[in-house]
Amino acid sequence: MKKITALLIGCPNVGKTSLLNHLAGSTFRVGNFPGVTVEKREGKAFYGDYEIHLIDLPGIYTTQFYTSEDERIAVEFLKSREYDLVINVVETPKLERDLHLTLELTKLQKPMVVALNMMDEAKNLGFMIDLLRLREIFNIPVVGTNGRTGEGKEKLLEAIIEVNERGISPQLNIHPSQLFTSEDSKNYELDSLSLVQGIAREVLRKKIATKKNLTSLFDTLFLHPYFGLLFLFLIFYFLFKFVFDLSSPLVDFLDGFINDFLGKGLGIFLAYLGAPDFLVEFLRSAVIGGVGTVLTLTPVLIFMFFFLTLLEASGYLPRVAFLMDRFTHRLGLHGHSVIPLLLGFGCNVPAIMALRVLSDPKDKLIVMAMIPFMSCSARLVIFAFFASLFFANPFLVIFSLYLLGLFLSVLTGLFLSKKVYHKDLSHFVMDLPPYRLPSLKFLLKMVWVHLKRFLVRAGTIIFVVSVVLWFLLNLPWGVKNLEDSYAGRVGKVIAPVFDPLGLSDWRVATSMIPALLAREAIISNLAVIVEEEEKEKLFSEKEKGSPEFLLVEELKKQGENLGEAGKKAFFSLINPWPSFWEEDEEISSAKQKIRKIFTPAQAVSFLVFVLINTSCLATIVTMAKEGGRKIAFLFFFYSFGLGWVLASLTYQIAKLFWS
């Protein structure tokens, strides 16, 4: 099979990633360029006898200079790496702007295809593009595409193969005397600007607009200095409400299905086969109890990633940066710094990596210290687990935790800006994309990309942590009391540190140690510990005879539970107010045991500490790479100290309301 390597290059927000998603399908993946923290998206497309390796480079406006790390990587890759052809993705409604980059790409003399993306939006705006004339001007194939629906994908693949087989390089066929007539960079820009406007007039026709387009209409509301803030609050209010209210019934279903149905059924089946007690206990505690309990929280992440991706792909998130610009000015920052902060809701690590979009070193350090207070998906898993276990209205508890994290983030940024770095005001220019309705296929694809990372963590890191903890709870062999095990001894040594927080229980202290590798491991650790505490009860029941397990009846019961969960989720969706859940009497045995470890006051203190303390080793390592080891260690101790103090205060106040 013949192979082609093609680069997707274009200005920011032209829809390259959406186009790549349609071309690459199941091979679409996200990673980093070797040796750097810049994100690279790539995949493979198979067409005819060809395997086409597609690489989506970060967006750039020009190849002549760069102002950030991602732009530097894109320009250097474009000029120095080996590849077969360039796919220049152009945002058709902004044709004149993007043709500047197209002109510069012609100087590379690499085989090239132009993909006029968002043709449907151009048509809605009254634009008519003469594709044949544009092809004549540049002497290369020009294909109309739609990144949202995938329309034009086949023609684009055919054009890629045509260009590769014939070695078609761009050759400007209009006013060549006007190209690059001066060595002076200013005159060069003016000359190319004369030329771009002329090409645009040649190929573009626009009807007279008779009504306000949808983007302008929405922006009058969403970018209003006062109503815009109200809409911002309401949008994120309903985002968190829908995430939790939709996922909560499904989490309860998975909790019963994994811990009771699968765990119980597996134990009985292994006992029937005569499996040794050691194996039964290991699978029940370490695998089902540890990893299984974390996996029950996957619906929370699915809905969170879905709605965040929807906001990003629809064009709303960039407007949040624009809307917040006047507030970030008080920190000496510009609105573009909001984007990495928003990414922190997904994961703090890529959010810190995204600081490459900021050119001022002081801006990077300030925002880097603010990002870890954004509650990542790992924290969300813990919040959802404990809030639903201890409180009647878990949504408000979770929403309050997110607001507290945001408040502490702003205070940290304000302190660094005014007292440490004495920051002057930064400015920026931002190109806002039009509003779009992304396809369901694209949304589900991106949800799967993010969810897969969580499943990999659950299948590797959390599994390993659960196994190691299980062994430490059983060593030295024959230990009768878990407090005397290796894990118990370590937990009792560090437990006094957390006594002012109301968390002096050695089981809680022990569960926090492996959270350095994955915060979600806190839940799996607690599940392993409480399951181990019940092993004597398990074996005494075994001596009496295995409990009856009727597979057909159990499956029928699980089907009924799933239907009930779906019905509850639906009614939560249509209810605009937070849902108050009645206490579920049929929660899994693992949850019941964990509930006995904490009082509500202790649970609140625990959640505040998890929110503030940056215990994620990956985040600290990334901070060290991006800002230096000194910055990373200082922040680690700062977040621990701040979390310890505020969680202690929270516990003392919470005791007034809960015993």
Side-chain angles (χ1 to χ4, degrees):
M1 180 173 283
K2 303 175 184 178
K3 295 185 178 181
I4 301 174
T5 299
L7 306 183
L8 283 88
I9 191 75
C11 297
N13 299 316
V14 297
K16 295 187 284 83
T17 302
S18 299
L19 202 57
L20 172 63
N21 183 38
H22 286 291
L23 292 171
S26 60
T27 67
F28 177 91
R29 62 184 182 275
V30 178
N32 290 329
F33 286 93
V36 294
T37 57
V38 175
E39 192 174 81
K40 176 175 67 172
R41 304 187 178 199
E42 58 186 330
K44 295 179 181 179
F46 299 91
Y47 196 78
D49 296 330
Y50 285 89
E51 175 187 303
I52 306 172
H53 182 205
L54 299 156
I55 302 175
D56 176 15
L57 294 181
I60 59 173
Y61 291 103
T62 177
T63 63
Q64 303 303 310
F65 58 87
Y66 43 81
T67 60
S68 61
E69 178 71 1
D70 57 338
E71 291 179 348
R72 180 186 69 81
I73 292 297
V75 172
E76 292 183 356
F77 197 104
L78 193 64
K79 292 183 176 181
S80 60
R81 292 295 188 92
E82 292 294 326
Y83 54 92
D84 297 308
L85 59 90
V86 172
I87 305 173
N88 176 212
V89 183
V90 172
E91 184 177 350
T92 309
K94 298 180 179 178
L95 179 67
E96 186 172 321
R97 180 203 68 180
D98 288 11
L99 282 177
H100 285 278
L101 179 60
T102 306
L103 270 180
E104 292 180 357
L105 293 175
T106 61
K107 292 189 64 179
L108 299 176
Q109 284 301 293
K110 280 282 190 178
M112 189 165 79
V113 177
V114 172
L116 288 182
N117 204 24
M118 308 179 195
M119 289 290 286
D120 57 328
E121 294 180 10
K123 184 178 180 180
N124 292 336
L125 293 172
F127 291 126
M128 301 294 293
I129 310 296
D130 189 339
L131 300 182
L132 292 178
R133 181 57 180 146
L134 193 60
R135 175 169 184 153
E136 291 174 357
I137 291 173
F138 285 100
N139 194 39
I140 51 175
V142 178
V143 180
T145 60
N146 185 334
R148 187 178 67 85
T149 64
E151 184 180 353
K153 178 181 71 174
E154 298 290 330
K155 291 183 179 179
L156 181 57
L157 290 171
E158 292 172 359
I160 291 172
I161 294 174
E162 176 192 359
V163 165
N164 182 73
E165 290 181 341
R166 296 175 54 190
I168 304 176
S169 298
Q171 179 180 347
L172 200 63
N173 293 325
I174 182 173
H175 304 302
S177 61
Q178 295 188 29
L179 272 177
F180 322 122
T181 57
S182 173
E183 294 182 1
D184 182 77
S185 59
K186 184 177 180 180
N187 289 336
Y188 157 74
E189 292 297 335
L190 289 174
D191 291 341
S192 62
L193 179 64
S194 300
L195 187 58
V196 166
Q197 291 174 342
I199 295 174
R201 283 195 298 268
E202 282 281 320
V203 302
L204 187 147
R205 299 289 181 272
K206 183 179 180 183
K207 300 177 182 177
I208 298 176
T210 57
K211 60 179 180 180
K212 209 171 188 179
N213 64 64
L214 196 61
T215 292
S216 299
L217 179 62
F218 281 169
D219 278 347
T220 57
L221 298 175
F222 293 145
L223 296 184
H224 190 277
Y226 301 110
F227 290 117
L229 294 176
L230 175 62
F231 279 111
L232 175 64
F233 177 83
L234 290 176
I235 286 172
F236 276 89
Y237 168 87
F238 282 108
L239 182 148
F240 286 105
K241 178 203 174 319
F242 290 153
V243 165
F244 192 80
D245 284 356
L246 283 171
S247 62
S248 183
L250 299 177
V251 168
D252 291 339
F253 164 74
L254 283 178
D255 179 48
F257 181 80
I258 293 178
N259 287 295
D260 292 337
F261 175 73
L262 289 183
K264 181 179 178 182
L266 180 63
I268 293 175
F269 178 70
L270 291 176
Y272 173 78
L273 295 178
D277 293 343
F278 173 87
L279 178 61
V280 176
E281 171 63 15
F282 170 76
L283 293 175
R284 184 183 68 86
S285 297
V287 180
I288 301 297
V291 180
T293 300
V294 176
L295 290 179
T296 62
L297 279 302
T298 52
V300 178
L301 297 182
I302 290 174
F303 288 114
M304 174 61 84
F305 289 139
F306 180 86
F307 287 116
L308 283 179
T309 303
L310 176 62
L311 289 181
E312 181 181 9
S314 66
Y316 181 73
L317 282 190
R319 284 165 170 82
V320 174
F322 181 87
L323 184 65
M324 299 301 293
D325 186 57
R326 62 193 177 104
F327 293 97
T328 54
H329 278 183
R330 298 178 183 273
L331 304 179
L333 304 171
H334 55 66
H336 213 16
S337 60
V338 174
I339 298 299
L341 291 174
L342 292 174
L343 292 176
F345 287 131
C347 179
N348 291 166
V349 172
I352 294 174
M353 292 178 177
L355 292 174
R356 61 182 183 267
V357 303
L358 305 180
S359 57
D360 190 327
K362 290 183 179 179
D363 287 357
K364 291 182 179 180
L365 293 177
I366 293 173
V367 181
M368 185 184 298
M370 297 172 65
I371 286 174
F373 293 107
M374 300 293 102
S375 296
C376 63
S377 58
R379 286 192 183 105
L380 177 61
V381 168
I382 299 173
F383 294 168
F385 182 86
F386 277 86
S388 62
L389 198 58
F390 289 96
F391 304 103
N393 193 349
F395 160 71
L396 288 183
V397 174
I398 295 174
F399 192 57
S400 299
L401 288 169
Y402 272 79
L403 291 179
L404 175 60
L406 183 62
F407 176 71
L408 294 175
S409 175
V410 172
L411 282 185
T412 299
L414 192 62
F415 172 76
L416 292 176
S417 176
K418 303 300 182 183
K419 301 299 182 181
V420 179
Y421 295 114
H422 306 288
K423 185 71 177 59
D424 295 326
L425 182 62
S426 296
H427 299 278
F428 82 121
V429 176
M430 188 173 194
D431 183 30
L432 296 178
Y435 290 99
R436 307 182 183 101
L437 182 62
S439 67
L440 181 61
K441 181 180 179 181
F442 172 77
L443 293 176
L444 295 179
K445 179 68 177 181
M446 297 308 298
V447 168
W448 169 243
V449 169
H450 292 296
L451 183 63
K452 185 165 62 174
R453 294 179 181 177
F454 171 74
L455 295 177
V456 169
R457 285 164 64 92
T460 54
I461 298 176
I462 296 177
F463 174 75
V464 171
V465 167
S466 299
V467 170
V468 171
L469 179 60
W470 184 84
F471 276 103
L472 292 177
L473 289 168
N474 285 276
L475 292 175
W477 294 116
V479 64
K480 298 297 183 181
N481 193 331
L482 288 184
E483 292 188 38
D484 298 325
S485 66
Y486 291 154
R489 295 173 189 176
V490 173
K492 287 193 290 185
V493 169
I494 64 175
V497 176
F498 300 101
D499 184 57
L501 286 68
L503 306 175
S504 58
D505 193 310
W506 71 268
R507 294 170 293 185
V508 178
T510 301
S511 70
M512 291 185 183
I513 300 173
L516 286 169
L517 299 178
R519 288 190 180 101
E520 312 96 308
I522 291 176
I523 299 174
S524 64
N525 296 337
L526 285 172
V528 171
I529 292 172
V530 297
E531 290 292 345
E532 276 299 291
E533 289 182 326
E534 294 293 318
K535 62 183 178 182
E536 290 82 4
K537 179 181 178 181
L538 172 74
F539 292 125
S540 64
E541 290 180 351
K542 181 180 178 183
E543 292 173 358
K544 298 176 184 178
S546 298
E548 190 178 55
F549 188 84
L550 301 177
L551 181 60
V552 176
E553 292 297 323
E554 291 291 336
L555 285 174
K556 181 180 178 181
K557 180 180 178 181
Q558 294 301 319
E560 293 173 351
N561 291 343
L562 179 60
E564 186 65 25
K567 183 172 68 174
K568 187 178 290 188
F570 172 76
F571 284 111
S572 299
L573 180 64
I574 62 177
N575 177 17
W577 305 107
S579 300
F580 290 81
W581 300 105
E582 297 180 358
E583 184 173 335
D584 192 347
E585 299 294 339
E586 297 187 1
I587 62 174
S588 68
S589 57
K591 279 190 174 181
Q592 292 174 353
K593 297 163 193 170
I594 292 175
R595 180 185 281 175
K596 295 177 182 178
I597 297 178
F598 298 84
T599 65
Q602 291 171 329
V604 172
S605 171
F606 180 76
L607 289 176
V608 169
F609 183 74
V610 170
L611 165 71
I612 302 172
N613 176 42
T614 303
S615 62
C616 176
L617 185 61
T619 299
I620 298 299
V621 170
T622 306
M623 292 182 76
K625 288 182 179 179
E626 298 295 317
R629 294 182 180 179
K630 182 180 179 180
I631 296 295
F633 280 112
L634 283 175
F635 183 82
F636 175 79
F637 290 110
Y638 164 70
S639 67
F640 180 86
L642 183 63
W644 190 91
V645 171
L646 291 185
S648 299
L649 292 175
T650 300
Y651 177 61
Q652 298 304 321
I653 296 173
K655 282 197 303 183
L656 301 177
F657 300 93
W658 297 292
S659 59

